[in-house]
Amino acid sequence: MPLVRQVYDALLAQMASSAMKPGDRLPSVRVLAGDCGVSTMTITNAYQRLVAEGHVEARRASGYYVAETERSATRRKPFLGRTSVDSLWLLKHVYEDDRTLLNAGCGWIPPEMLHIDGVRRALAALSRKSAAGLANYGTPYGYLPLRQQIQTLLAQQGIETAPHQIVLTHGASQALNLVARCLLQPRDVVLVDEPGSTNLYAMLRSLDLKLVGVERTVNGPDLAALQSLAQRHGAKAFFTSTNLHNPTGSQCTPAVAYQMLRLAEQLDFRIVDNDVMAGLEPPGAATTLASLDGLQRVIHIGSFSKTVSPALRVGFVACNEEFAEKLILQKMVNSLTTSELTERLLHGVLVEGRYRAHVTKLAERLQAAQATVCDRLEAAGMQLFTRPAGGPFLWARFERDDVDMRALAQRAIAESFLLAPGDLFRTDLRATPWLRFNVGYADDPRLYRFLAQEARGLRSKAKA
């Protein structure tokens, strides 16, 4: 552990234990450096971090003092205020750092599972490079060496492409937004997975598009529904996630994938495949639409938020050349270029040589977590949509169809759990007994006890 962090942690521990109280003066930089056998710069950096985080006050010509306002007084209290857990509430609070709640239904990978060490090494290497490229807007397509690395990664999935067919974006969210703007006009009908991503629904609605859901089965989209809805509405696009689907965790089988492509050709619509979980499925378990289609009707979305770090905000679109040019125009109009600084940083992570081993280990950890959480949810009285091959998401329900999931979610908040009711993942917000779980967070005995108690209560009501 770096010396600065060691000093910082030691001082913070003294404040937490009241060995140092509000108003107490910290030792001078020189004295503490001598006592610890470190440089004065180390102590200064530790003190400045404590000041920046509000634990310590710096007083000119006097020194450093423990902040008068105790840190605990400013910590977030458990959220108990709203009476309705709805999609707006989920979007507003999903990314807040509220450690008083176990976020059992969240949409991200636990930080300790991500490639943070790789980011640190890449940051250190980047800091030693010349200033060239670190203070520029970058290019419209994005940093070329990173696009070349993505080209290699896609080739490993059977997707043949060229760097000028890859457009870098601020995460998969911007990628989906740009694609929607290029494909669709206000009031157009767009087909989406049902259930599907709450964030995607909100983004598409913000563009004044009409959403029509295609029911998801354990093998992928319901093909009969897809054909009927595409014909009825003259849909121009279908937004889906072929692999490790959010929220069900299901995989699209090869047979369903081929039929989807046939329907897209027959009915003249594009398929936007959001493949942000790429690499997290077992070897051979993924069917990638873009590898079957050659990026003719399929637009492939990718990201590194689920494998490296969401803080980098680097995603990409892989598509044919004509559509890539449309994307570039839309990208420049809406946000100019993406950050070459973060793109160079991600490139450093990928070329360092440990990324593939990290993704393999991450996939194995999530697969093990899936098995554990599936077993324990079933033991608690819940039914599974499917046992996912990997990834973070799991879709489970109670036996009865008439469960008030909003009320259940509120009771869970009172018990310090944040659940994700299934109706939030439907275009029509129709009541449903399903819940989304994230296996990276859900393996907690308290949660299983809460769910088992709810299941027993439902069985008792049924008998009555």
Side-chain angles (χ1 to χ4, degrees):
M1 185 181 295
L3 291 174
V4 172
R5 180 60 185 269
Q6 293 181 44
V7 174
Y8 166 90
D9 286 346
L11 291 170
L12 203 58
Q14 290 188 52
M15 296 175 203
S17 66
S18 297
M20 297 176 67
K21 298 180 175 59
D24 285 354
R25 186 176 186 274
L26 275 65
S28 72
V29 170
R30 192 174 300 278
V31 167
L32 188 57
D35 291 345
C36 296
V38 299
S39 70
T40 56
M41 183 61 70
T42 296
I43 303 301
T44 298
N45 288 339
Y47 278 5
Q48 288 178 349
R49 178 171 177 179
L50 290 166
V51 170
E53 295 185 359
H55 301 291
V56 168
E57 297 174 357
R59 301 179 187 174
R60 182 174 294 183
S62 179
Y64 294 90
Y65 294 80
V66 179
E68 293 287 350
T69 303
E70 292 189 43
R71 191 67 174 173
S72 59
T74 62
R75 289 177 182 160
R76 186 185 302 275
K77 296 179 180 178
F79 178 84
L80 299 173
R82 276 186 71 112
T83 59
S84 175
V85 177
D86 54 24
S87 55
L88 178 62
W89 183 90
L90 178 65
L91 285 171
K92 181 179 178 183
H93 292 277
V94 69
Y95 294 114
E96 291 187 357
D97 184 18
D98 190 343
R99 297 177 187 177
T100 64
L101 293 174
L102 174 67
N103 203 337
C106 68
W108 57 88
I109 306 293
E112 62 272 16
M113 290 188 181
L114 295 173
H115 200 26
I116 306 305
D117 287 341
V119 175
R120 288 195 181 103
R121 290 189 292 269
L123 274 170
L126 190 61
S127 69
R128 294 191 293 268
K129 294 190 176 182
S130 67
L134 302 184
N136 300 325
Y137 274 106
T139 65
Y141 280 89
Y143 187 49
L144 176 59
L146 176 56
R147 287 187 285 124
Q148 291 170 331
Q149 281 296 311
I150 293 172
Q151 178 189 13
T152 300
L153 292 175
L154 291 176
Q156 293 168 3
Q157 301 175 52
I159 303 172
E160 296 298 328
T161 186
H164 60 274
Q165 293 178 260
I166 298 170
V167 179
L168 302 184
T169 61
H170 289 296
S173 296
Q174 189 195 34
L176 290 164
N177 186 288
L178 293 175
V179 168
R181 289 176 181 273
C182 289
L183 284 178
L184 303 162
Q185 297 294 323
R187 306 309 301 160
D188 278 350
V189 169
V190 57
L191 304 180
V192 294
D193 284 331
E194 184 95 88
S197 166
T198 298
N199 286 18
L200 174 65
Y201 293 169
M203 182 276 290
L204 293 173
R205 286 196 173 104
S206 74
L207 301 179
D208 196 22
L209 298 170
K210 181 181 177 183
L211 276 58
V212 174
V214 179
E215 286 294 332
R216 183 81 178 196
T217 74
V218 294
N219 296 322
D222 183 320
L223 292 173
L226 177 60
Q227 180 175 7
S228 173
L229 293 169
Q231 287 176 326
R232 185 189 314 165
H233 297 285
K236 297 178 182 177
F238 175 36
F239 283 68
T240 186
S241 289
T242 309
N243 296 307
L244 301 181
H245 172 254
N246 175 19
T248 67
S250 59
Q251 295 280 110
C252 187
T253 64
V256 170
Y258 277 110
Q259 288 300 315
M260 286 172 61
L261 293 175
R262 287 185 61 188
L263 288 175
E265 184 176 0
Q266 292 171 5
L267 302 177
D268 192 26
F269 63 85
R270 305 292 285 273
I271 299 177
V272 183
D273 190 8
N274 186 10
D275 195 24
V276 293
M277 299 292 176
L280 299 183
E281 68 285 326
T287 300
T288 308
L289 288 176
S291 67
L292 304 176
D293 170 74
L295 296 175
Q296 295 307 304
R297 288 198 170 272
V298 173
I299 299 166
H300 185 87
I301 307 290
S303 169
F304 296 87
S305 294
K306 300 295 189 289
T307 54
V308 179
S309 171
L312 294 179
R313 307 307 305 135
V314 179
F316 64 90
V317 181
C319 55
N320 62 43
E321 296 180 28
E322 180 183 358
F323 194 75
E325 292 178 359
K326 294 180 180 179
L327 276 176
I328 289 301
L329 177 59
Q330 192 66 237
K331 175 182 174 181
M332 296 298 291
V333 167
N334 281 274
S335 62
L336 294 181
T337 63
T338 40
S339 169
E340 186 168 309
L341 180 62
T342 54
E343 290 168 1
R344 283 173 176 262
L345 179 57
L346 177 59
H347 176 257
V349 172
L350 299 182
V351 300
E352 189 221 7
R354 308 187 199 187
Y355 175 72
R356 182 180 295 185
H358 158 73
V359 172
T360 299
K361 181 179 178 182
L362 173 59
E364 291 171 350
R365 292 179 68 179
L366 289 172
Q367 289 159 27
Q370 282 283 2
T372 298
V373 177
C374 282
D375 288 344
R376 292 179 180 171
L377 286 179
E378 286 186 325
M382 303 200 74
Q383 299 175 346
L384 306 179
F385 181 79
T386 187
R387 282 183 169 256
F393 297 130
L394 175 61
W395 197 233
R397 58 165 289 170
F398 292 100
E399 293 180 2
R400 291 180 54 170
D401 291 332
D402 60 346
V403 183
D404 186 342
M405 301 305 286
R406 296 289 183 91
L408 175 82
Q410 279 310 132
R411 292 195 295 275
I413 289 176
E415 298 293 329
S416 297
F417 303 119
L418 186 59
L419 299 179
D423 60 311
L424 303 183
F425 302 94
R426 294 194 62 87
T427 58
D428 53 9
L429 295 177
R430 191 180 72 200
T432 173
W434 295 94
L435 289 165
R436 183 183 77 176
F437 292 95
N438 183 324
V439 299
Y441 290 88
D443 188 19
D444 190 296
R446 298 169 298 163
L447 175 62
Y448 299 134
R449 285 195 295 270
F450 172 81
L451 295 172
Q453 181 179 346
E454 293 288 336
R456 286 194 298 270
L458 291 171
R459 286 194 292 269
S460 297
K461 289 181 181 179
K463 291 178 181 179

